[in-house]
């Protein structure tokens, strides 16, 4: 395997199992079989930017692909995921769902008709869970628009008796809290930053096991592990990036392992220092 192949493998997105993610994915899977009721359970997935929310959602979606039912010769799609529009906008939200389901739509179509078509399509596909990522975008609009958008979520959940999974930064909690009825239906699940403990060391072992290097790097040695944690500020996406850059540095310089001193040589700026770099220009 040449250097280019090794670097490509390192850069490929990989799923790393860890206990919180396994527990949350199990909980999400359980929602699929929840009996239909007038008050379906919903989950609000909250965490800092680049701390694994979107990766977790993508993993859950990959475990629940659309299928073809031979019984009724129709497609079934138990999970549908979309991203909240940059500001609370009903039309754009419905468009996102239609695009995700490869359903055509006309720009001139009236909002009521589009809403009805989305509802009927989700019902036909037997959707059990609707995921809305980046839900904190709701706060980008005026209070009136926020209320209208959240009413759309309530409408779909009530009409179809499906569970909602909303994900976002800490502002996502504030976004949902603007509607008391909706906030009471959501159970928050927080993805915390990583700390220096055995779970973190297991995470490092998982990352190291996927590197195409011949020699062990020993990420879990205390000094090495603490240095990675400090640089990444405990964010799993940043931990991944630090390891990626250091492994690529090793390969480009003909090493078969990553060493602690390489962390000082990679082009990496910790999240909290990135604004400072711009302000110094």
């Amino acid at each position: 395997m040449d250097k280019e192949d090794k670097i490509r493998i390192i850069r490929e997105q990989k799923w790393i199992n860890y206990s919180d993610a396994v527990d949350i994915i199990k909980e999400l899977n359980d929602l699929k079989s929840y009996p239909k009721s007038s008050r379906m359970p919903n989950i609000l997935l909250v965490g800092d930017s680049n701390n694994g929310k979107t990766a977790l959602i993508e993993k859950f979606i990959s475990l629940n692909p659309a299928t073809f039912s031979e019984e009724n010769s129709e497609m079934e799609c138990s999970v549908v995921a979309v991203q909240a529009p940059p500001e609370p906008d009903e039309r754009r939200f419905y468009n996102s769902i239609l695009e995700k389901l490869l359903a055509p739509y006309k720009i001139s179509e009236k909002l009521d008709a589009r809403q009805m078509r989305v509802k009927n399509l989700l019902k036909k596909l037997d959707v059990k869970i609707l995921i809305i990522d980046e839900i904190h975008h709701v706060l980008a609009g005026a209070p009136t628009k926020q209320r209208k958008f959240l009413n759309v979520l309530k409408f779909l959940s009530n009409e179809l008796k499906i569970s909602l999974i909303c994900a976002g930064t800490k502002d996502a909690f504030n976004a949902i809290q603007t509607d008391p009825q909706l906030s009471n239906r959501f159970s928050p699940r927080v993805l915390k930053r990583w700390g220096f403990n055995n779970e973190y060391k297991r995470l490092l072992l998982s990352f190291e096991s996927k590197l195409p290097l011949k020699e062990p790097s020993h990420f879990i040695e205390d000094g090495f592990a603490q240095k990675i944690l400090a640089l990444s500020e405990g964010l799993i996406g940043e931990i991944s990036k630090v390891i990626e850059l250091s492994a690529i540095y090793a390969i480009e310089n003909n090493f078969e392992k990553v060493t602690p001193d390489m962390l000082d040589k990679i082009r990496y700026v910790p999240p909290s220092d990135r604004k400072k770099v711009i302000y110094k220009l």
Side-chain angles (χ1 to χ4, degrees):
M1 187 184 299
D2 59 22
K3 288 184 179 181
E4 288 74 19
D5 289 334
K6 289 182 178 181
I7 291 173
R8 177 182 52 77
I9 290 172
I10 291 170
R11 285 175 173 163
E12 286 176 349
Q13 189 173 18
K14 303 172 186 66
W15 171 253
I16 302 291
N17 266 335
Y18 54 97
S19 59
D20 281 353
V22 170
D23 291 344
I24 291 173
I25 287 177
K26 181 184 182 304
E27 188 174 5
L28 301 187
N29 268 317
D30 289 344
L31 291 179
K32 292 190 303 176
S33 57
Y34 197 91
K36 290 186 179 296
S37 69
S38 58
R39 193 178 179 86
M40 297 296 290
N42 304 315
I43 292 176
L44 178 62
L45 187 59
V46 179
D48 291 314
S49 178
N50 209 13
N51 202 28
K53 298 182 302 298
T54 299
L56 193 153
I57 287 171
E58 289 176 349
K59 178 63 176 179
F60 176 62
I61 294 168
S62 72
L63 295 172
N64 294 278
T67 58
F68 182 77
S69 173
E70 295 184 359
E71 183 178 339
N72 53 24
S73 299
E74 291 185 350
M75 291 296 298
E76 292 181 355
C77 187
S78 60
V79 178
V80 172
V82 295
Q83 188 175 115
E87 60 179 11
D89 184 292
E90 302 165 74
R91 191 178 298 275
R92 292 172 73 174
F93 179 62
Y94 289 136
N95 289 352
S96 295
I97 295 175
L98 292 170
E99 288 171 2
K100 178 67 68 169
L101 299 175
L102 304 178
Y105 61 86
K106 295 180 180 179
I107 296 177
S108 59
E109 186 178 28
K110 291 184 178 180
L111 185 59
D112 288 349
R114 196 167 307 202
Q115 180 188 72
M116 190 60 63
R117 198 149 62 87
V118 166
K119 187 190 80 169
N120 290 338
L121 185 56
L122 294 177
K123 186 175 183 178
K124 182 178 180 181
L125 291 172
D126 197 25
V127 172
K128 302 290 195 305
I129 296 174
L130 177 62
I131 300 175
I132 305 101
D133 198 5
E134 309 290 354
I135 192 64
H136 50 269
H137 287 170
V138 170
L139 296 177
T144 302
K145 282 193 169 185
Q146 292 180 29
R147 286 194 296 271
K148 286 183 178 179
F149 187 84
L150 293 176
N151 282 338
V152 168
L153 300 188
K154 284 192 292 186
F155 170 80
L156 291 175
S157 181
N158 291 339
E159 287 288 309
L160 298 169
K161 293 182 172 52
I162 60 175
S163 291
L164 303 177
I165 298 169
C166 291
T169 62
K170 293 176 183 178
D171 287 337
F173 180 79
N174 297 328
I176 295 298
Q177 287 294 312
T178 60
D179 188 306
Q181 288 185 344
L182 200 58
S183 65
N184 287 335
R185 300 186 185 189
F186 277 87
S187 298
R189 298 292 179 270
V190 179
L191 289 175
K192 298 178 181 179
R193 293 195 183 211
W194 291 80
F196 190 74
N197 50 35
N198 288 334
E199 180 75 5
Y200 168 61
K201 289 186 176 183
R202 283 193 288 270
L203 180 76
L204 292 181
L205 284 173
S206 296
F207 274 116
E208 184 172 344
S209 69
K210 296 179 182 295
L211 296 179
L213 299 173
K214 294 179 181 178
E215 299 178 30
S217 297
H218 302 297
F219 288 146
I220 64 170
E221 291 184 355
D222 283 0
F224 205 169
Q226 288 173 336
K227 194 168 185 177
I228 294 172
L229 188 64
L231 278 174
S232 65
E233 299 178 2
L235 300 168
I236 191 171
E238 299 294 335
I239 293 170
S240 176
K241 178 55 67 173
V242 169
I243 291 173
E244 174 191 314
L245 292 175
S246 57
I248 290 174
Y249 178 91
I251 289 170
E252 289 178 339
N253 290 275
N254 300 312
F255 292 98
E256 286 297 337
K257 66 178 181 179
V258 178
T259 57
D261 63 292
M262 292 179 185
L263 300 183
D264 299 319
K265 299 173 182 178
I266 59 176
R267 296 178 63 85
Y268 177 81
V269 179
S272 61
D273 290 342
R274 289 169 192 169
K275 287 185 180 179
K276 298 176 186 177
V277 172
I278 301 299
Y279 292 150
K280 288 180 182 177
L281 295 178

